[in-house]
Amino acid sequence: MTSKRPTEQAEAIDNADLSGEDMEDTASSIGSSSTLDTASRSNTPTLKPKKRGKPGRKKGTKIPKINYKFSSFIKEDHGQPLFGVQFNHLLREGQPLVFATVGSHRISVYECPEMGGIKLLQTYADPDPEENFYTCAWSYDEESGKPILAAAGSRGIVRIISPATMSSIKHYVGHGHAINELKFHPSDPNLLLSVSKDHALRLWNIRTDQCIAIFGGVEGHRDEVLSADFDLEGRRVISCGMDHSLKLWRLDTDAIEKAIGDSYTFAPSKSSRPFATVQENFPNFSTRDIHRNYVDCVRWLGDFVLSKSCENTIVCWRPGRLANNGIRVMNNNAVTVLHRFDYRECDIWFMRFSLDSWNKVMALGNQVGKTFVWDLDTDDPMASRHLVLTHPKCVTAIRQTALSRNGHVLLCVCDDATVWRWDRIL
Amino acid sequence: MGPKKKERDTDHSSSSKGGNTTNNGRVADSVQADHELFLQAFEKPTQIYRYLRTRHFLSPIFLHRTLSYMNGRCTRNHQNRKTCKLVNLLDSKVQKNSQNDVNTRSKFMTLTFLGFYDPKVNGCREPVKVETLLLQIGHKKRKDVSSPIMQISVGTTEVCINPNEDSPPPKAPTVSIATEDLSLRNGQQGNSYVLLLRVSAPIISESEPQPKRRRLSDASLTTGMLEETTRLFGAELVVYDRHSRCLLIDGDYELAMKEITSPESNGTSPGGSDKSLRLANASWSTVDSSHTAPPLNILIHGPMLKFRLEWANDPISALVDRPKPYVASASTQTTDKSSSSTSSSSSSVEKSQINSVDEPTVVRYQFLYNASRRQQTETRSDFRCPWCSLHCLQLPALLKHLRLCHSRFNFSHVGTEKGHVRIDISVNDAYDGSYSGNPHDLIAQPLALGASSGGAAFGRQGPTRRTPITATLVWRPRRMRASGQDPLQAEGDDGYEVCETQRPFITGHNRLYHHTSTCLPIQAKELDVDSENETDPEWLRAKTCMMIDEFTDVNEGEKELMKLWNLHVLKHNYVGDCQMGVALQMFLDAHGQELLKRNLYRNFILHLSNLYDFGIIAPATVLRTISSLQLILQRSPEHQEILKQAWLGQLFSKQEVTTVTST
């Protein structure tokens, strides 16, 4: 497991030389938008077999309206890579900006003060120093309204932490291998989705401590699952993994909905049988046509899907034909690719992009410490170009980015245990 | 508390290498790195034991004094246990009550006043009046009720002021208090007794204008005892605190007095009906931290009353010979404990009693690493454990404690030479820190907000089933006599003494199983139910149907029959050709109606003939199966109708085809 997340270019179709040509603003600490040339030059033919309409679109590209300036950075003392950073999006306007980072066997909770800087609030360490946390997610306790932080990693144990009581209140054993991502249901704070190296996803009810469903099996992922995301209503889950595939699982089927309901009423002390965990073997939709390599990050964007592989592009696509209304059916696994967001020097895997909660800004870091930011809040997102944020001291791979609720603060966590804060210039 | 380690420069290996100047720097580096490794090796166990020490202070899981090798720490003896009988309990209690403590020997507490010292008063004056009062305070459990207070006046004496130390007055006034007055109600807790001493001194130095204080106070008016020109001083001394512990023992007391100014202005006085009671309360509750100077200051600068307290059997009247002062050693212990804050006296008494120090033997701890590199602690002159600062009293006890309670280290007692004991410490690589108890304790959820399923032991949802497991809680093996200086010799490898019947401390069902499909741990209550050996899980059936659907070279009817048949075979898991007859019969029993309803009669016949062609079933089986299918058919007219329609339709289309071809 320690060999995971290396700089190895996992069976990457390597693009010849990107490094020499295009670093327009390496020394500036203020992000600047890239020029048109670099965008086109970075696309080697091997990387993007089908480039359609590129020249035409380039004419319309505009300089993005948003920009970020460097605020501060901190370094955690363990020096190990930080793999996850998550803002607590449940905190509203006026409440402090709180985020958590995970890496090594640590979970740290920070605050972003208005004035800039990063303030450490709490740190938790797993008793096992061999643990390596990969991911975390925020939720809240329904009764008290207090925040809850879930974290998981190489040991495959989900830890639920209550920052209010400063203790680990629960843990879930069950995954057969490392857990690569955790997500909470958008509307039900008790439903936790975990995505594992054991080729499966699990849906947990953290209030009653039951495993509601396991997504995986014959038609499931054939290799590590790396990422997953709930859609806005929490009816569908899209997952992706090392088998190059993206799979869509519906949560609004009768079986799953019944299991979710049962999980709340199930009384373990009264039943001699375990909770009837649903084993969902058949995704509603599956494709391998989007990427040619490990798919390590996926997010819903309305009915569209944003997913990336280590091919220097984030693909915006949707299942089925564009004309079709409902997303559907197994036998018809057609996809429609809408757009490709290109960037450079990001061909190692386990690099995650993020969106703010209004889906207006997207950010992704690359393996040499640069951050690409896209403004999706334009008339024509296709025409949106990225700006590149660089800092002379930020030179290692940015594993994950996080955007605050309103997109005003951007965080990047790096392989050298640093956390970088960028503030939006308004 | 980790021991303070200091590096030993006289280390043999490093000093010999250090002599070589050419690779001095390299050696220094390696020494440094080696030192880092050494520290790392000892860091983790030390941190663990530091944490355990704190936890043991806060919530001990056992008491060291109950350990057999810590006999010295147990101050009680168990002699009474053998003679104790139930019927004697009352008698012994009554007897004990009658001779409760110090005052059992004595019926009276006698105060001999030696003098009233006030640095502000110069020269000899006329004696001051000292009024001795006894205050009985009844304590109530409920806090909102004011405590009932009873006041007993014992007597008033005249005490000379600022007596000359060198030539004290020959006689001293005394006051005796009978112990009956101090009777504790049936030994019941709840009454405490406070000795009040009030000194009314004639007014003194004119240089100190204190018009307010000199003003008549309400209290002095009502009692009428004081003239206009007197100052009132007071102090209190707890005789019995609320737990009925006697806090006063024989000795000379120097009691710092506080001036009492305006009793009625004190808001803390409870509204007692009795006027004198109110006075008493008001006057004596002025010991208030806000205007109390530090105790020692008061002793130096404030007025002070000196008296001797003795418990005696006979009351002493009025004047006695002035007692001789105690010899220095005794008086230092007793005098320094009297102060205006009366409650501090109890602790100092206990401290003075625990003062016996063992013969000072120096214990030197040597930390071994890689067998060569070593480091030495500051040596300790007592048998305290360096990790948990537990006083083990004796060397054997210390060694045993180290060995048993700090087993992440290896300890070896190297030897004793001229008062020095050397203990070598190395990291125990063979330490097994794994949990050997009930594995369900490990997977149990910690108590959480609104958690419904706690662990088995901590569940709040009523009883839950647990796995049967036996843990040895108390074990008393036959011991060998501790053989003087080398107690570790008599032990086995695990630190426990060798004994004949060694059995594991935890036996029983100490394994954790997991569900095959979900990998979730199997709870104890689920152990009996085995539902996971089905041969046709739902996903396999679905997958079988999907794969059959994907065939392109068979027609729909054939697909349907193949699905039915394959799922049937999957479910019953037939293993040989010889079972095919039974399989067919069971298939018809289960799916015969459905077969006919879905118009698969001919497909089934084809399937039968296939089986026959491949030599799997005998002709007799074919005949028997078809006849039983016919039997089903005959019983249901609707199926006959379906078959007929299908036959007719087929015949008709066939005729059409033939006519088309013929024309």
Side-chain angles (χ1 to χ4, degrees):
Chain A
M1 204 49 241
T2 49
S3 65
K4 174 153 198 177
R5 274 122 259 245
T7 46
E8 88 187 60
Q9 312 201 345
E11 55 181 286
I13 311 146
D14 208 356
N15 36 2
D17 53 337
L18 301 172
S19 47
E21 41 181 15
D22 52 2
M23 307 297 94
E24 61 270 343
D25 46 12
T26 32
S28 85
S29 63
I30 291 198
S32 64
S33 48
S34 65
T35 55
L36 307 177
D37 310 286
T38 51
S40 68
R41 246 185 284 152
S42 68
N43 298 328
T44 51
T46 51
L47 206 62
K48 246 132 263 136
K50 29 181 182 175
K51 275 189 298 180
R52 304 158 307 180
K54 273 274 153 75
R57 234 186 282 131
K58 265 191 231 158
K59 298 291 182 222
T61 50
K62 293 167 292 186
I63 293 170
K65 280 177 287 186
I66 58 169
N67 208 344
Y68 284 83
K69 72 174 195 301
F70 171 73
S71 166
S72 60
F73 85 97
I74 55 141
K75 179 164 181 166
E76 295 191 5
D77 63 350
H78 52 79
Q80 301 298 309
L82 291 176
F83 288 119
V85 58
Q86 289 293 332
F87 266 108
N88 186 350
H89 284 283
L90 300 162
L91 296 174
R92 279 186 283 280
E93 288 299 325
Q95 291 177 304
L97 285 175
V98 174
F99 69 92
T101 63
V102 291
S104 183
H105 64 302
R106 303 277 192 86
I107 306 163
S108 305
V109 183
Y110 297 90
E111 183 187 334
C112 280
E114 281 289 320
M115 313 316 298
I118 296 168
K119 192 174 109 193
L120 176 66
L121 299 180
Q122 298 174 353
T123 299
Y124 302 87
D126 196 88
D128 183 0
E130 300 297 310
E131 171 69 294
N132 197 359
F133 286 115
Y134 295 149
T135 176
C136 63
W138 289 92
S139 181
Y140 63 96
D141 179 45
E142 261 189 330
E143 285 170 25
S144 64
K146 297 271 178 15
I148 280 177
L149 179 61
S154 62
R155 291 182 70 211
I157 297 173
V158 183
R159 301 263 181 201
I160 308 283
I161 288 169
S162 164
T165 62
M166 294 202 279
S167 57
S168 169
I169 51 172
K170 290 181 183 185
H171 51 251
Y172 298 112
V173 186
H175 269 302
H177 226 308
I179 294 173
N180 285 321
E181 189 155 45
L182 292 174
K183 281 281 167 70
F184 275 101
H185 194 274
S187 54
D188 187 339
N190 297 316
L191 299 188
L192 174 67
L193 183 74
S194 59
V195 161
S196 170
K197 191 181 177 179
D198 67 1
H199 305 189
L201 300 88
R202 284 177 191 235
L203 187 66
W204 305 85
N205 186 330
I206 64 159
R207 181 145 123 217
T208 55
D209 307 331
Q210 301 304 330
C211 181
I212 298 169
I214 299 174
F215 303 94
V218 263
E219 296 280 303
H221 284 282
R222 300 293 183 89
D223 206 337
E224 285 194 39
V225 195
L226 291 176
S227 181
D229 194 32
F230 285 102
D231 74 344
L232 202 59
E233 293 173 299
R235 292 167 175 274
R236 296 169 294 181
V237 167
I238 185 109
S239 66
C240 61
M242 284 193 180
D243 57 353
H244 307 191
S245 70
L246 290 125
K247 293 182 190 289
L248 188 147
W249 312 83
R250 294 207 78 103
L251 297 184
D252 50 4
T253 59
D254 291 342
I256 304 263
E257 276 184 345
K258 179 172 178 297
I260 291 174
D262 286 350
S263 75
Y264 278 105
T265 55
F266 181 72
S269 56
K270 297 197 176 67
S271 160
S272 68
R273 308 205 51 159
F275 178 76
T277 302
V278 174
Q279 315 247 2
E280 183 59 82
N281 282 263
F282 305 100
N284 201 255
F285 172 86
S286 179
T287 180
R288 279 169 54 91
D289 298 339
I290 308 293
H291 298 287
R292 301 290 176 85
N293 210 323
Y294 294 176
V295 190
D296 54 359
C297 192
V298 64
R299 296 289 177 272
W300 284 97
L301 182 68
D303 271 346
F304 300 148
V305 178
L306 291 165
S307 64
K308 77 169 275 289
S309 175
C310 28
E311 298 166 318
N312 285 334
T313 185
I314 294 173
V315 183
C316 179
W317 57 279
R318 62 159 289 169
R321 300 278 167 222
L322 204 53
N324 296 2
N325 263 337
I327 290 182
R328 157 46 241 135
V329 229
M330 233 133 59
N331 295 332
N332 177 16
N333 278 337
V335 292
T336 309
V337 173
L338 296 144
H339 183 59
R340 290 170 190 274
F341 297 93
D342 295 322
Y343 45 87
R344 298 177 307 277
E345 287 182 285
C346 189
D347 43 20
I348 61 173
W349 64 283
F350 211 82
M351 307 284 276
R352 268 85 185 276
F353 62 87
S354 66
L355 298 161
D356 67 331
S357 52
W358 303 112
N359 289 345
K360 288 180 175 176
V361 184
M362 179 168 72
L364 169 73
N366 74 359
Q367 70 212 44
V368 293
K370 296 180 184 181
T371 311
F372 299 87
V373 181
W374 288 267
D375 182 8
L376 304 180
D377 188 24
T378 53
D379 296 336
D380 181 13
M382 304 286 170
S384 108
R385 285 184 319 173
H386 58 82
L387 62 133
V388 186
L389 309 177
T390 57
H391 188 277
K393 282 189 173 172
C394 185
V395 289
T396 51
I398 295 173
R399 289 298 177 179
Q400 186 158 27
T401 62
L403 281 152
S404 66
R405 224 175 129 80
N406 52 14
H408 286 181
V409 178
L410 166 65
L411 295 169
C412 309
V413 290
C414 295
D415 265 358
D416 58 352
T418 49
V419 185
W420 300 80
R421 172 176 173 178
W422 298 80
D423 285 347
R424 184 156 170 187
I425 301 168
L426 296 172
Chain B
M1 188 192 67
K4 287 179 200 163
K5 294 164 191 160
K6 63 179 179 190
E7 185 158 7
R8 243 200 144 184
D9 291 330
T10 56
D11 183 17
H12 296 295
S13 60
S14 66
S15 63
S16 64
K17 276 182 195 167
N20 193 346
T21 51
T22 52
N23 49 3
N24 213 353
R26 196 144 43 93
V27 168
D29 278 354
S30 75
V31 164
Q32 185 64 31
D34 200 24
H35 183 64
E36 286 293 316
L37 285 175
F38 164 77
L39 288 183
Q40 273 176 17
F42 278 89
E43 183 188 12
K44 186 186 166 194
T46 303
Q47 276 183 351
I48 289 171
Y49 289 131
R50 182 184 302 171
Y51 168 76
L52 289 178
R53 167 184 173 266
T54 316
R55 200 185 67 172
H56 194 88
F57 272 136
L58 298 176
S59 62
I61 46 175
F62 66 93
L63 297 173
H64 285 291
R65 65 161 188 253
T66 56
L67 300 173
S68 63
Y69 56 89
M70 290 282 188
N71 269 334
R73 287 182 64 85
C74 188
T75 48
R76 301 168 295 148
N77 56 13
H78 297 155
Q79 285 173 355
N80 288 337
R81 285 192 182 173
K82 282 177 184 167
T83 58
C84 180
K85 278 181 184 157
L86 197 62
V87 289
N88 298 338
L89 273 182
L90 180 62
D91 288 345
S92 62
K93 190 69 188 171
V94 167
Q95 202 182 351
K96 198 177 175 187
N97 220 14
S98 63
Q99 35 170 292
N100 203 347
D101 45 347
V102 205
N103 53 348
T104 53
R105 294 166 264 133
S106 46
K107 297 205 170 74
F108 293 93
M109 183 176 78
T110 306
L111 303 179
T112 310
F113 295 101
L114 302 177
F116 179 68
Y117 295 82
D118 192 344
K120 285 171 188 157
V121 178
N122 300 321
C124 261
R125 300 280 182 126
E126 53 194 87
V128 295
K129 278 184 181 166
V130 176
E131 191 188 3
T132 311
L133 298 158
L134 194 64
L135 214 63
Q136 178 191 336
I137 303 168
H139 294 290
K140 289 275 174 67
K141 292 257 164 62
R142 291 175 60 188
K143 295 219 170 98
D144 50 338
V145 185
S146 62
S147 311
I149 294 176
M150 257 179 59
Q151 190 186 25
I152 307 158
S153 177
V154 180
T156 310
T157 50
E158 292 203 332
V159 178
C160 58
I161 191 163
N162 285 356
N164 194 338
E165 291 288 343
D166 301 326
S167 58
K171 293 285 181 184
T174 59
V175 163
S176 287
I177 302 165
T179 33
E180 281 92 60
D181 289 341
L182 301 171
S183 66
L184 305 165
R185 234 189 287 135
N186 302 329
Q188 181 188 346
Q189 286 188 3
N191 275 356
S192 64
Y193 288 90
V194 179
L195 191 65
L196 307 181
L197 293 168
R198 281 198 294 192
V199 177
S200 54
I203 195 60
I204 10 105
S205 55
E206 299 81 359
S207 62
E208 203 179 355
Q210 287 180 312
K212 268 195 170 178
R213 295 200 169 177
R214 280 187 222 171
R215 223 190 47 198
L216 270 184
S217 66
D218 188 29
S220 58
L221 266 183
T222 46
T223 50
M225 285 165 61
L226 306 174
E227 296 166 41
E228 281 190 17
T229 54
T230 56
R231 296 170 70 196
L232 195 62
F233 296 97
E236 59 183 23
L237 212 50
V238 177
V239 186
Y240 285 97
D241 68 0
R242 59 185 307 162
H243 304 294
S244 305
R245 285 178 303 206
C246 179
L247 301 182
L248 298 181
I249 61 170
D250 289 3
D252 277 345
Y253 287 77
E254 291 176 8
L255 195 59
M257 308 299 281
K258 264 189 64 77
E259 187 168 357
I260 306 150
T261 50
S262 54
E264 73 275 8
S265 69
N266 199 315
T268 57
S269 70
S273 57
D274 192 350
K275 210 146 200 206
S276 66
L277 177 66
R278 187 170 65 90
L279 167 71
N281 281 332
S283 319
W284 301 112
S285 57
T286 51
V287 184
D288 192 349
S289 62
S290 58
H291 20 101
T292 316
L296 284 177
N297 267 352
I298 289 175
L299 281 178
I300 294 165
H301 303 295
M304 198 163 52
L305 184 69
K306 277 194 184 176
F307 63 89
R308 168 163 299 186
L309 191 147
E310 279 171 320
W311 296 91
N313 273 328
D314 304 313
I316 299 164
S317 59
L319 287 173
V320 292
D321 289 341
R322 188 181 172 87
K324 293 217 170 66
Y326 282 110
V327 284
S329 65
S331 64
T332 47
Q333 278 193 10
T334 47
T335 49
D336 65 0
K337 68 172 176 274
S338 56
S339 70
S340 67
S341 63
T342 53
S343 60
S344 66
S345 53
S346 66
S347 58
S348 62
V349 174
E350 287 171 8
K351 270 179 198 158
S352 66
Q353 284 169 353
I354 309 167
N355 226 348
S356 60
V357 185
D358 284 284
E359 78 281 17
T361 313
V362 176
V363 184
R364 181 178 292 160
Y365 295 93
Q366 307 245 46
F367 290 84
L368 298 187
Y369 182 66
N370 280 347
S372 65
R373 180 162 185 83
R374 67 181 59 169
Q375 195 158 342
Q376 186 175 339
T377 58
E378 289 175 1
T379 52
R380 286 177 175 270
S381 60
D382 55 359
F383 295 115
R384 273 185 197 281
C385 168
W387 283 275
C388 48
S389 61
L390 173 79
H391 202 314
C392 299
L393 300 171
Q394 291 164 329
L395 179 63
L398 172 67
L399 290 172
K400 197 118 188 188
H401 165 79
L402 291 174
R403 190 87 184 258
L404 294 181
C405 295
H406 304 297
S407 47
R408 287 171 189 269
F409 293 119
N410 285 321
F411 296 95
S412 57
H413 175 214
V414 172
T416 311
E417 41 186 49
K418 39 181 183 176
H420 286 259
V421 178
R422 207 183 104 192
I423 297 176
D424 281 354
I425 303 165
S426 57
V427 175
N428 185 1
D429 295 323
Y431 179 79
D432 180 15
S434 61
Y435 183 74
S436 56
N438 191 340
H440 287 276
D441 295 344
L442 287 182
I443 57 152
Q445 295 288 359
L447 273 186
L449 351 140
S452 63
S453 70
F458 310 107
R460 292 197 173 158
Q461 302 274 321
T464 50
R465 188 178 150 184
R466 305 180 64 178
T467 47
I469 190 163
T470 306
T472 308
L473 295 181
V474 179
W475 182 49
R476 291 188 171 277
R478 186 172 302 163
R479 282 199 190 83
M480 294 173 198
R481 269 260 166 267
S483 58
Q485 284 291 318
D486 231 359
L488 300 181
Q489 297 298 317
E491 290 168 0
D493 289 336
D494 51 356
Y496 294 99
E497 286 152 4
V498 179
C499 75
E500 306 87 53
T501 55
Q502 177 69 287
R503 57 177 256 192
F505 292 114
I506 291 174
T507 51
H509 203 96
N510 56 354
R511 283 190 195 176
L512 187 62
Y513 301 97
H514 293 81
H515 289 288
T516 48
S517 55
T518 59
C519 296
L520 294 170
I522 298 182
Q523 304 289 331
K525 58 177 189 273
E526 301 160 4
L527 275 176
D528 290 342
V529 187
D530 179 19
S531 64
E532 289 162 4
N533 58 353
E534 55 183 1
T535 54
D536 59 338
E538 199 273 332
W539 67 267
L540 189 53
R541 281 180 273 143
K543 185 70 184 168
T544 306
C545 295
M546 281 164 60
M547 285 163 67
I548 292 172
D549 274 333
E550 280 172 14
F551 285 131
T552 51
D553 53 349
V554 284
N555 66 37
E556 290 305 311
E558 279 171 311
K559 281 182 185 176
E560 291 307 305
L561 184 80
M562 281 163 81
K563 284 181 196 170
L564 282 178
W565 176 253
N566 279 8
L567 292 183
H568 175 74
V569 171
L570 198 65
K571 184 179 179 185
H572 296 284
N573 201 20
Y574 301 109
V575 290
D577 292 355
C578 61
Q579 288 179 312
M580 276 302 113
V582 186
L584 286 167
Q585 197 56 49
M586 287 171 73
F587 180 71
L588 285 187
D589 290 346
H591 303 286
Q593 302 277 351
E594 189 187 354
L595 195 76
L596 295 171
K597 201 172 175 179
R598 291 165 73 176
N599 190 23
L600 300 173
Y601 179 88
R602 292 152 69 86
N603 296 107
F604 184 69
I605 299 297
L606 184 63
H607 178 56
L608 274 183
S609 55
N610 272 335
L611 289 174
Y612 170 71
D613 284 348
F614 284 94
I616 294 171
I617 51 176
T621 315
V622 179
L623 180 63
R624 196 169 60 241
T625 310
I626 291 177
S627 58
S628 64
L629 185 60
Q630 285 290 342
L631 208 62
I632 299 170
L633 193 61
Q634 282 165 18
R635 281 180 194 154
S636 61
E638 52 193 303
H639 292 151
Q640 290 173 13
E641 188 60 30
I642 291 170
L643 194 63
K644 189 177 168 190
Q645 290 301 325
W647 180 73
L648 281 175
Q650 204 168 19
L651 193 67
F652 186 66
S653 62
K654 195 178 178 182
Q655 279 174 349
E656 265 189 356
V657 170
T658 47
T659 46
V660 166
T661 46
S662 62
T663 54

